[in-house]
Every structure is written in C-alpha cells, then in structure tokens.
Amino acid sequence: MDNIKNVLIAARPWSFPASIVPALLGAVVASRTTQIQLNPALLILSCIIVVLIHAGGNLLNTYNDYQHKVDGPQSDDQTLVNGSLSPITVCLLSITCYALSIALYLTAITVHFHGNTISQSVILFCIGIASSVAYSAGGRCLKYVALGDAVVLIAFGPITALFVYQLQTGSVNGSVILYSLPLALITEAILHSNNTRDMTNDTEAGITSLTMILGKHYSALVYWLLLFVPYFMLIGGTLFISFWYLLPLITAVNAQQLVNQLNCGNYNQLPQKTAAHNLIFGTLYLFCVGAS
C-alpha cells in the first residue's frame, strides 16, 4: 500500500483535472456546434489517454528534477528525495504511462476511424506526447529555460480540447481554441504558483523560470491576470452568447483569496488550491458552455 501511495504522490493526481476538464470541453463543444451524437465510450477512452500522458509527464518531471538536483528537502515532491521510490521505478512508470497512452490511442483510432482526417488526430496526439516529454526531459528541457509556461498554455487547453473534439467529430474547429482559453489560463496559474513558490530552489539549481525573470512583484501581477482574465472573457460570453456565462463568476471570491495568499508569501498548498479552483471553475464553465 505504501508503494501505491508513493506512486500516486509522484504522479500528482490532484493536477489531473487540468487535463480532464479541457478534454470534456472538447466533447461539449463538439455536441454544441455539430449534429453528431457523442460517443461516451470514446470520450472515456480519450480522458484516460490524456490523463496517462499527464501522469507520464509528471513522473518524468519528478525523475528529471531529481537527476538534475532541482528537488531538495523543501520541494513539494519528496518521493525520490526521501527514497520512497527509486529513480528507475519512477522512470519506468513514466514510460509505462506513455506506452499505455499510445496503445489506447491506437485502439481509439482503429475502432473509431475517420478516414482522410486521421492525420489531424495523429498530429494532435503527437504534439501532446512531444510537449509532455519536451517539458521535462533532459538538462535543457523547456521547463528549465522558461518555456514551460508556453507548453502548459498550449497543451492544457487548445491541444487537449481539439484532440477530443477531433476524435468525436473527425474534424477540427477553431472555435474550440477560443472556448479553451479560460481553462488554459487558469491551468497556467497552477504552474505559475508552483514556480513562484520554488523561485529560491530553482535559482540554486541553476534553472530559469518565467517567475524568476519577472521577479516576485510582476509574478504576482501575472498570477492575478491568469486567474481574472477568464472572468472578463465570461462577461464577454454573457454579452454575446448567453447569460449562463455568469455562473462561473461565483468563484471569483476564491480566486481573490488565492491572490491574497500569494501576495502574503504564503505558498503552503497554493498549487493544489489553485488546481482545486481550476476544477470548480472548469466544472461550472462546462455547464455554461453546454447550456448556452
């Protein structure tokens, strides 16, 4: 049981809604903008695929940070630092997650074949895998050169939503990208809060993050923007689409509490709390998109 618990800690399941919610959004937009009937089994399979890629990336990140001495006694993930798991175990688990995602994806496109448009799906899947690996693998991975934020904005929003939309409909639609932007911004806020907390450790490890470039003052401003720009988007949705877009605004109080916590320099569980906010906001957002 302890090993299972340690594996779960390394995989960081609290972050999985950041993948699941945009995946569900892709299905909701597909249902709303086309005449197709959603395939529930394919949707479940799609969500499993994106979670496996996410878990593989988290495990690879844990392994790579340990190998390059980024994680230390003050780090959030202690599974390798304290010897709860061996590096080779975490590495093999990451490879297993990626391999399972590939196997399930091949199953999905075999059973639900879309003919000439299959190349679109393959491209989106490969971008997802490649961005996950590029974010975490090696001494010059994107995370270490202040490009991790760009990966998160693209992958945990537009790419995931488009991937599921394409599997359901056999096509891609630019409107999916617009619908996914609020979720992408709040998901980026999770990473931004994590990097703000880890600025000292990252500086000592010799890596560069966007928060280190911006400094604490401007990082706090960016965190506020990441959490509150989605609300301005919702107001636009209310004016031009449906009053249902007002619904997620009830989470704004919680967003301000998160900003206050960061401004006070209290980073205790801040990434996890931001992820929880993302889940609540995302759930309400899915409802308003579907209902409008």
Side-chain angles (χ1 to χ4, degrees):
M1 288 299 293
D2 285 343
N3 282 338
I4 295 175
K5 178 182 177 182
N6 291 329
V7 168
L8 288 174
I9 292 173
R12 302 169 208 168
W14 55 265
S15 67
F16 292 165
S19 292
I20 296 172
V21 175
L24 294 176
L25 177 67
V28 170
V29 176
S31 177
R32 182 182 180 278
T33 60
T34 69
Q35 301 301 315
I36 64 123
Q37 185 172 357
L38 290 181
N39 184 326
L42 183 62
L43 177 57
I44 293 171
L45 189 59
S46 303
C47 288
I48 294 172
I49 290 169
V50 298
V51 166
L52 282 170
I53 295 174
H54 192 166
N58 285 348
L59 290 162
L60 180 59
N61 181 70
T62 294
Y63 173 79
N64 200 59
D65 280 356
Y66 179 78
Q67 291 295 102
H68 291 89
K69 297 180 172 54
V70 175
D71 282 342
Q74 304 303 318
S75 299
D76 190 44
D77 188 351
Q78 293 288 304
T79 48
L80 290 180
V81 176
N82 62 20
S84 299
L85 294 172
S86 67
I88 189 62
T89 297
V90 172
C91 184
L92 289 174
L93 285 169
S94 175
I95 293 171
T96 300
C97 287
Y98 285 129
L100 285 173
S101 72
I102 293 170
L104 291 178
Y105 172 67
L106 293 175
T107 300
I109 60 174
T110 300
V111 173
H112 202 68
F113 185 65
H114 282 301
N116 294 334
T117 64
I118 193 173
S119 60
Q120 298 173 345
S121 176
V122 172
I123 290 171
L124 290 168
F125 178 77
C126 288
I127 291 174
I129 288 277
S131 60
S132 177
V133 174
Y135 176 86
S136 298
R140 297 292 292 174
C141 64
L142 297 180
K143 173 187 175 181
Y144 293 174
V145 292
L147 292 175
D149 301 82
V151 173
V152 168
L153 277 171
I154 295 170
F156 291 96
I159 295 300
T160 300
L162 277 171
F163 172 69
V164 174
Y165 181 96
Q166 202 285 331
L167 281 179
Q168 290 286 340
T169 67
S171 63
V172 295
N173 187 326
S175 67
V176 178
I177 297 175
L178 295 177
Y179 278 111
S180 70
L181 289 179
L183 296 179
L185 290 171
I186 296 183
T187 301
E188 162 58 15
I190 301 172
L191 175 66
H192 194 79
S193 65
N194 182 84
N195 289 345
T196 302
R197 180 199 62 196
D198 291 344
M199 284 176 65
T200 301
N201 284 345
D202 290 347
T203 301
E204 293 173 353
I207 67 176
T208 304
S209 66
L210 178 62
T211 55
M212 292 166 62
I213 295 172
L214 294 173
K216 287 191 175 182
H217 175 74
Y218 288 107
S219 289
L221 175 60
V222 168
Y223 185 65
W224 184 91
L225 289 171
L226 291 170
L227 288 178
F228 278 90
V229 167
Y231 294 117
F232 294 112
M233 293 179 176
L234 292 175
I235 293 172
T238 302
L239 294 175
F240 297 105
I241 303 175
S242 168
F243 72 91
W244 282 112
Y245 280 81
L246 287 172
L247 184 61
L249 290 174
I250 63 176
T251 64
V253 173
N254 184 60
Q256 186 58 50
Q257 291 174 345
L258 293 172
V259 170
N260 292 342
Q261 181 176 339
L262 182 136
N263 287 335
C264 291
N266 176 14
Y267 306 124
N268 181 39
Q269 296 290 301
L270 186 58
Q272 290 85 344
K273 291 178 182 178
T274 308
H277 171 74
N278 183 24
L279 175 59
I280 298 169
F281 177 95
T283 302
L284 294 173
Y285 183 62
L286 288 174
F287 178 82
C288 72
V289 172
S292 62

